Amino acid sequence: MIFVDTNVVIDIFRRDARWFDWSADRLAMVTEQGEVAASAVVIAELSWSFDRLEDLLATLDRLSLVPRPLPAAAAFLAGKRFQSFRRTRYEDDHPRVLPDFLIGAHAFFEGASLLTRDPKLYRRYFPDLTLITPETHP
């Protein structure tokens, strides 16, 4: 199973000038390999552009993304990693919010890979999480 980060889906929704091709191509690649999941957190982050949940779910279905509920154990792990980030934040760290940690923890907890174009946080706080990124899959 492969989880998809919100930024990849937003690139596709917005037809982002820089990232659309990479995100669309990599999403197509991973859907050929098996199930691709969207964490409940990704659904929350995408809700801004939909009036109804049914419309968002239909769009995710067209992208072959399967919604997955967030297990309590993954949420707990995310909270612990976020707490570590807050304590040991590096000067060059981009400001982060808890949803980034929830997405990473969910993929890690499920033993899945994560398709993202923003790997820095995941590499540092989830070093055993397999990532599909512009660096690993140009």
Side-chain angles (χ1 to χ4, degrees):
M1 177 187 317
I2 297 170
F3 276 75
V4 65
D5 198 356
T6 310
N7 55 43
V8 172
V9 181
I10 289 173
D11 292 343
I12 294 167
F13 283 2
R14 292 185 178 168
R15 299 192 66 79
D16 182 88
R18 179 173 179 197
W19 290 109
F20 173 79
D21 288 337
W22 185 87
S23 293
D25 290 348
R26 293 312 158 276
L27 182 59
M29 175 190 81
V30 298
T31 56
E32 291 176 7
Q33 297 173 3
E35 183 176 329
V36 182
S39 173
V41 177
V42 171
I43 292 169
E45 290 188 308
L46 295 174
S47 67
W48 56 266
S49 63
F50 294 87
D51 292 328
R52 298 172 346 116
L53 172 62
E54 295 78 14
D55 297 334
L56 172 54
L57 293 176
T59 300
L60 294 178
D61 186 56
R62 283 192 293 279
L63 293 174
S64 300
L65 298 176
V66 177
R68 299 281 298 206
L70 180 68
F76 185 81
L77 175 63
K80 290 299 187 184
R81 301 285 167 97
F82 184 67
Q83 182 182 37
S84 175
F85 162 78
R86 297 287 301 238
R87 275 197 317 264
T88 62
R89 187 171 165 186
Y90 296 87
E91 267 186 40
D92 65 335
D93 276 342
H94 181 275
R96 295 291 179 174
V97 294
L98 187 55
D100 296 327
F101 288 84
L102 290 164
I103 292 167
H106 195 175
F108 179 77
F109 178 79
E110 298 282 349
S113 299
L114 179 64
L115 172 62
T116 183
R117 64 169 168 76
D118 187 18
K120 186 177 178 180
L121 169 136
Y122 300 113
R123 283 193 183 118
R124 184 172 289 158
Y125 294 95
F126 299 94
D128 295 329
L129 178 60
T130 301
L131 300 175
I132 301 166
T133 71
E135 293 82 20
T136 64
H137 293 77

